[in-house]
PDB file of all heavy atoms in Angstrom:
ATOM      1  N   TYR A1287      38.314   4.904 -44.234  1.00 95.00           N
ATOM      2  CA  TYR A1287      39.228   6.072 -44.510  1.00 95.00           C
ATOM      3  C   TYR A1287      39.676   6.741 -43.241  1.00 95.00           C
ATOM      4  O   TYR A1287      40.791   7.202 -43.155  1.00 95.00           O
ATOM      5  CB  TYR A1287      38.510   7.012 -45.395  1.00 95.00           C
ATOM      6  CG  TYR A1287      38.323   6.476 -46.929  1.00 95.00           C
ATOM      7  CD1 TYR A1287      38.520   5.221 -47.206  1.00 95.00           C
ATOM      8  CD2 TYR A1287      37.973   7.408 -47.880  1.00 95.00           C
ATOM      9  CE1 TYR A1287      38.221   4.628 -48.451  1.00 95.00           C
ATOM     10  CE2 TYR A1287      37.753   6.901 -49.190  1.00 95.00           C
ATOM     11  CZ  TYR A1287      37.854   5.514 -49.502  1.00 95.00           C
ATOM     12  OH  TYR A1287      37.661   5.062 -50.693  1.00 95.00           O
ATOM     13  N   LEU A1288      38.755   6.853 -42.262  1.00 94.00           N
ATOM     14  CA  LEU A1288      39.157   7.505 -41.012  1.00 94.00           C
ATOM     15  C   LEU A1288      40.215   6.702 -40.326  1.00 94.00           C
ATOM     16  O   LEU A1288      41.224   7.333 -39.825  1.00 94.00           O
ATOM     17  CB  LEU A1288      37.972   7.559 -40.075  1.00 94.00           C
ATOM     18  CG  LEU A1288      36.755   8.457 -40.547  1.00 94.00           C
ATOM     19  CD1 LEU A1288      35.754   8.549 -39.417  1.00 94.00           C
ATOM     20  CD2 LEU A1288      37.298   9.774 -40.893  1.00 94.00           C
ATOM     21  N   LYS A1289      40.229   5.417 -40.463  1.00 95.00           N
ATOM     22  CA  LYS A1289      41.327   4.587 -39.800  1.00 95.00           C
ATOM     23  C   LYS A1289      42.577   4.769 -40.681  1.00 95.00           C
ATOM     24  O   LYS A1289      43.666   4.871 -40.109  1.00 95.00           O
ATOM     25  CB  LYS A1289      40.879   3.062 -39.866  1.00 95.00           C
ATOM     26  CG  LYS A1289      39.705   2.770 -38.925  1.00 95.00           C
ATOM     27  CD  LYS A1289      39.393   1.335 -39.018  1.00 95.00           C
ATOM     28  CE  LYS A1289      38.255   0.952 -38.162  1.00 95.00           C
ATOM     29  NZ  LYS A1289      37.694  -0.448 -38.192  1.00 95.00           N
ATOM     30  N   LEU A1290      42.405   4.558 -42.026  1.00 95.00           N
ATOM     31  CA  LEU A1290      43.632   4.723 -42.867  1.00 95.00           C
ATOM     32  C   LEU A1290      44.357   6.066 -42.666  1.00 95.00           C
ATOM     33  O   LEU A1290      45.573   6.147 -42.763  1.00 95.00           O
ATOM     34  CB  LEU A1290      43.205   4.659 -44.335  1.00 95.00           C
ATOM     35  CG  LEU A1290      42.795   3.274 -44.787  1.00 95.00           C
ATOM     36  CD1 LEU A1290      42.346   3.356 -46.316  1.00 95.00           C
ATOM     37  CD2 LEU A1290      44.005   2.322 -44.821  1.00 95.00           C
ATOM     38  N   PHE A1291      43.634   7.222 -42.400  1.00 95.00           N
ATOM     39  CA  PHE A1291      44.278   8.505 -42.332  1.00 95.00           C
ATOM     40  C   PHE A1291      44.488   9.033 -40.974  1.00 95.00           C
ATOM     41  O   PHE A1291      44.696  10.219 -40.706  1.00 95.00           O
ATOM     42  CB  PHE A1291      43.413   9.542 -43.086  1.00 95.00           C
ATOM     43  CG  PHE A1291      42.993   9.051 -44.523  1.00 95.00           C
ATOM     44  CD1 PHE A1291      41.910   9.501 -45.148  1.00 95.00           C
ATOM     45  CD2 PHE A1291      43.862   8.267 -45.326  1.00 95.00           C
ATOM     46  CE1 PHE A1291      41.591   9.031 -46.436  1.00 95.00           C
ATOM     47  CE2 PHE A1291      43.642   7.793 -46.563  1.00 95.00           C
ATOM     48  CZ  PHE A1291      42.480   8.196 -47.145  1.00 95.00           C
ATOM     49  N   GLY A1292      44.454   8.090 -40.025  1.00 95.00           N
ATOM     50  CA  GLY A1292      44.742   8.371 -38.590  1.00 95.00           C
ATOM     51  C   GLY A1292      43.783   9.235 -37.844  1.00 95.00           C
ATOM     52  O   GLY A1292      44.023   9.911 -36.944  1.00 95.00           O
ATOM     53  N   LEU A1293      42.514   9.107 -38.251  1.00 95.00           N
ATOM     54  CA  LEU A1293      41.426   9.938 -37.586  1.00 95.00           C
ATOM     55  C   LEU A1293      40.521   9.085 -36.752  1.00 95.00           C
ATOM     56  O   LEU A1293      39.522   9.596 -36.118  1.00 95.00           O
ATOM     57  CB  LEU A1293      40.630  10.728 -38.688  1.00 95.00           C
ATOM     58  CG  LEU A1293      41.336  11.774 -39.394  1.00 95.00           C
ATOM     59  CD1 LEU A1293      40.589  12.277 -40.471  1.00 95.00           C
ATOM     60  CD2 LEU A1293      41.649  12.954 -38.410  1.00 95.00           C
ATOM     61  N   GLU A1294      40.764   7.788 -36.558  1.00 93.00           N
ATOM     62  CA  GLU A1294      39.891   6.905 -35.799  1.00 93.00           C
ATOM     63  C   GLU A1294      39.928   7.418 -34.359  1.00 93.00           C
ATOM     64  O   GLU A1294      40.964   7.492 -33.786  1.00 93.00           O
ATOM     65  CB  GLU A1294      40.344   5.419 -35.916  1.00 93.00           C
ATOM     66  CG  GLU A1294      39.400   4.485 -35.270  1.00 93.00           C
ATOM     67  CD  GLU A1294      39.772   3.049 -35.344  1.00 93.00           C
ATOM     68  OE1 GLU A1294      40.978   2.847 -35.683  1.00 93.00           O
ATOM     69  OE2 GLU A1294      38.999   2.157 -35.066  1.00 93.00           O
ATOM     70  N   GLY A1295      38.754   7.581 -33.789  1.00 93.00           N
ATOM     71  CA  GLY A1295      38.556   8.045 -32.343  1.00 93.00           C
ATOM     72  C   GLY A1295      38.837   9.521 -32.162  1.00 93.00           C
ATOM     73  O   GLY A1295      38.800   9.967 -30.990  1.00 93.00           O
ATOM     74  N   LYS A1296      39.203  10.188 -33.223  1.00 96.00           N
ATOM     75  CA  LYS A1296      39.502  11.645 -33.058  1.00 96.00           C
ATOM     76  C   LYS A1296      38.372  12.498 -33.667  1.00 96.00           C
ATOM     77  O   LYS A1296      38.429  13.728 -33.779  1.00 96.00           O
ATOM     78  CB  LYS A1296      40.724  11.897 -33.867  1.00 96.00           C
ATOM     79  CG  LYS A1296      42.002  11.225 -33.285  1.00 96.00           C
ATOM     80  CD  LYS A1296      43.248  11.538 -34.021  1.00 96.00           C
ATOM     81  CE  LYS A1296      44.455  10.718 -33.495  1.00 96.00           C
ATOM     82  NZ  LYS A1296      45.732  11.085 -34.312  1.00 96.00           N
ATOM     83  N   ILE A1297      37.338  11.912 -34.111  1.00 94.00           N
ATOM     84  CA  ILE A1297      36.154  12.662 -34.680  1.00 94.00           C
ATOM     85  C   ILE A1297      34.885  12.319 -33.912  1.00 94.00           C
ATOM     86  O   ILE A1297      34.713  11.235 -33.442  1.00 94.00           O
ATOM     87  CB  ILE A1297      35.973  12.140 -36.215  1.00 94.00           C
ATOM     88  CG1 ILE A1297      37.030  12.838 -36.985  1.00 94.00           C
ATOM     89  CG2 ILE A1297      34.563  12.597 -36.799  1.00 94.00           C
ATOM     90  CD1 ILE A1297      37.003  12.390 -38.494  1.00 94.00           C
ATOM     91  N   ASP A1298      34.069  13.299 -33.783  1.00 95.00           N
ATOM     92  CA  ASP A1298      32.760  13.141 -33.103  1.00 95.00           C
ATOM     93  C   ASP A1298      31.759  12.637 -34.138  1.00 95.00           C
ATOM     94  O   ASP A1298      31.265  13.330 -34.985  1.00 95.00           O
ATOM     95  CB  ASP A1298      32.303  14.530 -32.535  1.00 95.00           C
ATOM     96  CG  ASP A1298      30.911  14.345 -31.822  1.00 95.00           C
ATOM     97  OD1 ASP A1298      30.488  13.236 -31.557  1.00 95.00           O
ATOM     98  OD2 ASP A1298      30.183  15.451 -31.699  1.00 95.00           O
ATOM     99  N   LEU A1299      31.456  11.364 -34.065  1.00 92.00           N
ATOM    100  CA  LEU A1299      30.575  10.735 -35.006  1.00 92.00           C
ATOM    101  C   LEU A1299      29.091  11.081 -34.628  1.00 92.00           C
ATOM    102  O   LEU A1299      28.550  10.615 -33.619  1.00 92.00           O
ATOM    103  CB  LEU A1299      30.779   9.225 -35.044  1.00 92.00           C
ATOM    104  CG  LEU A1299      32.165   8.736 -35.552  1.00 92.00           C
ATOM    105  CD1 LEU A1299      32.222   7.246 -35.553  1.00 92.00           C
ATOM    106  CD2 LEU A1299      32.392   9.125 -36.975  1.00 92.00           C
ATOM    107  N   ALA A1300      28.510  11.865 -35.515  1.00 91.00           N
ATOM    108  CA  ALA A1300      27.128  12.277 -35.244  1.00 91.00           C
ATOM    109  C   ALA A1300      26.099  11.090 -35.296  1.00 91.00           C
ATOM    110  O   ALA A1300      26.135  10.197 -36.192  1.00 91.00           O
ATOM    111  CB  ALA A1300      26.768  13.344 -36.274  1.00 91.00           C
ATOM    112  N   GLU A1301      25.201  11.173 -34.316  1.00 83.00           N
ATOM    113  CA  GLU A1301      24.057  10.211 -34.304  1.00 83.00           C
ATOM    114  C   GLU A1301      22.867  10.783 -35.044  1.00 83.00           C
ATOM    115  O   GLU A1301      21.886  11.102 -34.380  1.00 83.00           O
ATOM    116  CB  GLU A1301      23.777   9.887 -32.859  1.00 83.00           C
ATOM    117  CG  GLU A1301      24.816   9.107 -32.040  1.00 83.00           C
ATOM    118  CD  GLU A1301      25.118   7.721 -32.673  1.00 83.00           C
ATOM    119  OE1 GLU A1301      24.213   7.143 -33.129  1.00 83.00           O
ATOM    120  OE2 GLU A1301      26.320   7.326 -32.705  1.00 83.00           O
ATOM    121  N   VAL A1302      23.085  10.940 -36.288  1.00 80.00           N
ATOM    122  CA  VAL A1302      21.953  11.476 -37.105  1.00 80.00           C
ATOM    123  C   VAL A1302      21.819  10.536 -38.350  1.00 80.00           C
ATOM    124  O   VAL A1302      22.769  10.029 -38.894  1.00 80.00           O
ATOM    125  CB  VAL A1302      22.271  12.987 -37.593  1.00 80.00           C
ATOM    126  CG1 VAL A1302      21.147  13.405 -38.478  1.00 80.00           C
ATOM    127  CG2 VAL A1302      22.543  13.815 -36.432  1.00 80.00           C
ATOM    128  N   GLU A1303      20.517  10.378 -38.749  1.00 83.00           N
ATOM    129  CA  GLU A1303      20.374   9.540 -39.966  1.00 83.00           C
ATOM    130  C   GLU A1303      20.891  10.242 -41.226  1.00 83.00           C
ATOM    131  O   GLU A1303      20.691  11.568 -41.280  1.00 83.00           O
ATOM    132  CB  GLU A1303      18.851   9.201 -40.199  1.00 83.00           C
ATOM    133  CG  GLU A1303      18.233   8.375 -39.078  1.00 83.00           C
ATOM    134  CD  GLU A1303      18.874   6.995 -39.124  1.00 83.00           C
ATOM    135  OE1 GLU A1303      19.205   6.423 -40.251  1.00 83.00           O
ATOM    136  OE2 GLU A1303      18.996   6.392 -38.009  1.00 83.00           O
ATOM    137  N   LEU A1304      21.442   9.562 -42.234  1.00 85.00           N
ATOM    138  CA  LEU A1304      22.003  10.197 -43.339  1.00 85.00           C
ATOM    139  C   LEU A1304      20.886  10.910 -44.124  1.00 85.00           C
ATOM    140  O   LEU A1304      21.099  11.978 -44.779  1.00 85.00           O
ATOM    141  CB  LEU A1304      22.530   9.094 -44.288  1.00 85.00           C
ATOM    142  CG  LEU A1304      23.308   9.615 -45.501  1.00 85.00           C
ATOM    143  CD1 LEU A1304      24.475  10.542 -45.163  1.00 85.00           C
ATOM    144  CD2 LEU A1304      23.898   8.446 -46.369  1.00 85.00           C
ATOM    145  N   SER A1305      19.564  10.460 -44.003  1.00 86.00           N
ATOM    146  CA  SER A1305      18.495  11.195 -44.667  1.00 86.00           C
ATOM    147  C   SER A1305      18.331  12.554 -44.117  1.00 86.00           C
ATOM    148  O   SER A1305      17.781  13.391 -44.754  1.00 86.00           O
ATOM    149  CB  SER A1305      17.181  10.453 -44.608  1.00 86.00           C
ATOM    150  OG  SER A1305      16.875  10.178 -43.198  1.00 86.00           O
ATOM    151  N   ASN A1306      18.849  12.899 -42.831  1.00 89.00           N
ATOM    152  CA  ASN A1306      18.769  14.205 -42.243  1.00 89.00           C
ATOM    153  C   ASN A1306      20.076  14.915 -42.387  1.00 89.00           C
ATOM    154  O   ASN A1306      20.098  16.032 -41.789  1.00 89.00           O
ATOM    155  CB  ASN A1306      18.317  14.069 -40.854  1.00 89.00           C
ATOM    156  CG  ASN A1306      16.924  13.459 -40.674  1.00 89.00           C
ATOM    157  OD1 ASN A1306      16.072  13.669 -41.424  1.00 89.00           O
ATOM    158  ND2 ASN A1306      16.704  12.638 -39.721  1.00 89.00           N
ATOM    159  N   ALA A1307      20.967  14.563 -43.184  1.00 92.00           N
ATOM    160  CA  ALA A1307      22.282  15.195 -43.252  1.00 92.00           C
ATOM    161  C   ALA A1307      22.216  16.613 -43.706  1.00 92.00           C
ATOM    162  O   ALA A1307      22.898  17.480 -43.174  1.00 92.00           O
ATOM    163  CB  ALA A1307      23.261  14.326 -44.189  1.00 92.00           C
ATOM    164  N   VAL A1308      21.423  16.939 -44.682  1.00 93.00           N
ATOM    165  CA  VAL A1308      21.447  18.238 -45.234  1.00 93.00           C
ATOM    166  C   VAL A1308      20.856  19.303 -44.192  1.00 93.00           C
ATOM    167  O   VAL A1308      21.616  20.296 -44.022  1.00 93.00           O
ATOM    168  CB  VAL A1308      20.670  18.367 -46.563  1.00 93.00           C
ATOM    169  CG1 VAL A1308      20.554  19.718 -47.102  1.00 93.00           C
ATOM    170  CG2 VAL A1308      21.339  17.405 -47.669  1.00 93.00           C
ATOM    171  N   PRO A1309      19.668  19.109 -43.639  1.00 94.00           N
ATOM    172  CA  PRO A1309      19.219  20.026 -42.654  1.00 94.00           C
ATOM    173  C   PRO A1309      20.151  20.116 -41.463  1.00 94.00           C
ATOM    174  O   PRO A1309      20.362  21.223 -40.815  1.00 94.00           O
ATOM    175  CB  PRO A1309      17.839  19.503 -42.230  1.00 94.00           C
ATOM    176  CG  PRO A1309      17.740  18.041 -42.757  1.00 94.00           C
ATOM    177  CD  PRO A1309      18.611  18.100 -43.959  1.00 94.00           C
ATOM    178  N   ALA A1310      20.718  19.011 -41.037  1.00 94.00           N
ATOM    179  CA  ALA A1310      21.691  18.997 -39.916  1.00 94.00           C
ATOM    180  C   ALA A1310      22.940  19.761 -40.167  1.00 94.00           C
ATOM    181  O   ALA A1310      23.373  20.493 -39.304  1.00 94.00           O
ATOM    182  CB  ALA A1310      22.066  17.592 -39.574  1.00 94.00           C
ATOM    183  N   LEU A1311      23.342  19.756 -41.433  1.00 95.00           N
ATOM    184  CA  LEU A1311      24.566  20.569 -41.884  1.00 95.00           C
ATOM    185  C   LEU A1311      24.225  22.054 -41.887  1.00 95.00           C
ATOM    186  O   LEU A1311      24.931  22.901 -41.422  1.00 95.00           O
ATOM    187  CB  LEU A1311      25.025  20.146 -43.174  1.00 95.00           C
ATOM    188  CG  LEU A1311      26.336  20.777 -43.703  1.00 95.00           C
ATOM    189  CD1 LEU A1311      27.564  20.079 -42.890  1.00 95.00           C
ATOM    190  CD2 LEU A1311      26.537  20.413 -45.170  1.00 95.00           C
ATOM    191  N   LYS A1312      22.988  22.363 -42.502  1.00 94.00           N
ATOM    192  CA  LYS A1312      22.570  23.683 -42.587  1.00 94.00           C
ATOM    193  C   LYS A1312      22.360  24.336 -41.260  1.00 94.00           C
ATOM    194  O   LYS A1312      22.733  25.550 -41.099  1.00 94.00           O
ATOM    195  CB  LYS A1312      21.233  23.652 -43.355  1.00 94.00           C
ATOM    196  CG  LYS A1312      20.812  25.145 -43.728  1.00 94.00           C
ATOM    197  CD  LYS A1312      19.486  25.025 -44.677  1.00 94.00           C
ATOM    198  CE  LYS A1312      19.082  26.380 -45.070  1.00 94.00           C
ATOM    199  NZ  LYS A1312      17.785  26.316 -45.948  1.00 94.00           N
ATOM    200  N   ASN A1313      21.873  23.669 -40.186  1.00 93.00           N
ATOM    201  CA  ASN A1313      21.630  24.298 -38.957  1.00 93.00           C
ATOM    202  C   ASN A1313      22.714  24.199 -37.955  1.00 93.00           C
ATOM    203  O   ASN A1313      22.664  24.515 -36.851  1.00 93.00           O
ATOM    204  CB  ASN A1313      20.298  23.757 -38.276  1.00 93.00           C
ATOM    205  CG  ASN A1313      20.409  22.309 -37.944  1.00 93.00           C
ATOM    206  OD1 ASN A1313      21.447  21.787 -37.629  1.00 93.00           O
ATOM    207  ND2 ASN A1313      19.164  21.627 -37.974  1.00 93.00           N
ATOM    208  N   GLY A1314      23.866  23.624 -38.490  1.00 93.00           N
ATOM    209  CA  GLY A1314      25.130  23.549 -37.711  1.00 93.00           C
ATOM    210  C   GLY A1314      25.146  22.350 -36.638  1.00 93.00           C
ATOM    211  O   GLY A1314      26.040  22.340 -35.827  1.00 93.00           O
ATOM    212  N   GLN A1315      24.219  21.409 -36.739  1.00 94.00           N
ATOM    213  CA  GLN A1315      24.162  20.317 -35.812  1.00 94.00           C
ATOM    214  C   GLN A1315      25.350  19.418 -36.088  1.00 94.00           C
ATOM    215  O   GLN A1315      25.850  18.768 -35.217  1.00 94.00           O
ATOM    216  CB  GLN A1315      22.836  19.558 -36.035  1.00 94.00           C
ATOM    217  CG  GLN A1315      22.570  18.454 -35.081  1.00 94.00           C
ATOM    218  CD  GLN A1315      21.322  17.806 -35.311  1.00 94.00           C
ATOM    219  OE1 GLN A1315      20.471  18.192 -36.135  1.00 94.00           O
ATOM    220  NE2 GLN A1315      21.083  16.608 -34.555  1.00 94.00           N
ATOM    221  N   ILE A1316      25.848  19.393 -37.412  1.00 96.00           N
ATOM    222  CA  ILE A1316      27.002  18.629 -37.802  1.00 96.00           C
ATOM    223  C   ILE A1316      27.928  19.482 -38.600  1.00 96.00           C
ATOM    224  O   ILE A1316      27.446  20.544 -39.105  1.00 96.00           O
ATOM    225  CB  ILE A1316      26.686  17.344 -38.610  1.00 96.00           C
ATOM    226  CG1 ILE A1316      25.916  17.663 -39.921  1.00 96.00           C
ATOM    227  CG2 ILE A1316      25.875  16.414 -37.756  1.00 96.00           C
ATOM    228  CD1 ILE A1316      25.679  16.572 -40.807  1.00 96.00           C
ATOM    229  N   ASP A1317      29.264  19.111 -38.661  1.00 97.00           N
ATOM    230  CA  ASP A1317      30.173  19.914 -39.498  1.00 97.00           C
ATOM    231  C   ASP A1317      30.260  19.278 -40.896  1.00 97.00           C
ATOM    232  O   ASP A1317      30.798  20.042 -41.824  1.00 97.00           O
ATOM    233  CB  ASP A1317      31.532  19.928 -38.785  1.00 97.00           C
ATOM    234  CG  ASP A1317      31.506  20.672 -37.423  1.00 97.00           C
ATOM    235  OD1 ASP A1317      31.121  21.860 -37.512  1.00 97.00           O
ATOM    236  OD2 ASP A1317      31.926  20.057 -36.492  1.00 97.00           O
ATOM    237  N   GLY A1318      29.923  18.086 -40.964  1.00 96.00           N
ATOM    238  CA  GLY A1318      30.104  17.472 -42.413  1.00 96.00           C
ATOM    239  C   GLY A1318      29.411  16.054 -42.383  1.00 96.00           C
ATOM    240  O   GLY A1318      29.011  15.550 -41.422  1.00 96.00           O
ATOM    241  N   PHE A1319      29.363  15.523 -43.643  1.00 95.00           N
ATOM    242  CA  PHE A1319      28.847  14.228 -43.754  1.00 95.00           C
ATOM    243  C   PHE A1319      29.450  13.505 -44.857  1.00 95.00           C
ATOM    244  O   PHE A1319      30.105  14.157 -45.787  1.00 95.00           O
ATOM    245  CB  PHE A1319      27.263  14.204 -43.961  1.00 95.00           C
ATOM    246  CG  PHE A1319      26.836  14.750 -45.262  1.00 95.00           C
ATOM    247  CD1 PHE A1319      26.658  14.046 -46.481  1.00 95.00           C
ATOM    248  CD2 PHE A1319      26.534  16.206 -45.280  1.00 95.00           C
ATOM    249  CE1 PHE A1319      26.077  14.637 -47.581  1.00 95.00           C
ATOM    250  CE2 PHE A1319      25.975  16.777 -46.538  1.00 95.00           C
ATOM    251  CZ  PHE A1319      25.807  15.942 -47.647  1.00 95.00           C
ATOM    252  N   VAL A1320      29.461  12.170 -44.796  1.00 95.00           N
ATOM    253  CA  VAL A1320      30.104  11.347 -45.839  1.00 95.00           C
ATOM    254  C   VAL A1320      29.029  10.581 -46.544  1.00 95.00           C
ATOM    255  O   VAL A1320      28.040  10.031 -45.946  1.00 95.00           O
ATOM    256  CB  VAL A1320      31.054  10.259 -45.193  1.00 95.00           C
ATOM    257  CG1 VAL A1320      31.735   9.454 -46.287  1.00 95.00           C
ATOM    258  CG2 VAL A1320      32.113  11.064 -44.436  1.00 95.00           C
TER     259      VAL A1320
END
């Protein structure tokens, strides 16, 4: 979807495991998750 919607290379892809997405979002380490 990032490629389809013109966002490829324009997003900082976080190096965090998906299992840690919620605490990472809560403490501001990431802005969002898929």
Side-chain angles (χ1 to χ4, degrees):
Y1287 290 14
L1288 296 185
K1289 292 179 181 178
L1290 285 175
F1291 306 150
L1293 291 169
E1294 186 178 16
K1296 299 179 181 178
I1297 286 177
D1298 177 17
L1299 296 177
E1301 294 296 326
V1302 180
E1303 292 295 324
L1304 187 59
S1305 57
N1306 295 322
V1308 175
L1311 187 72
K1312 189 176 179 180
N1313 65 28
Q1315 187 180 352
I1316 60 174
D1317 295 304
F1319 66 91
V1320 180

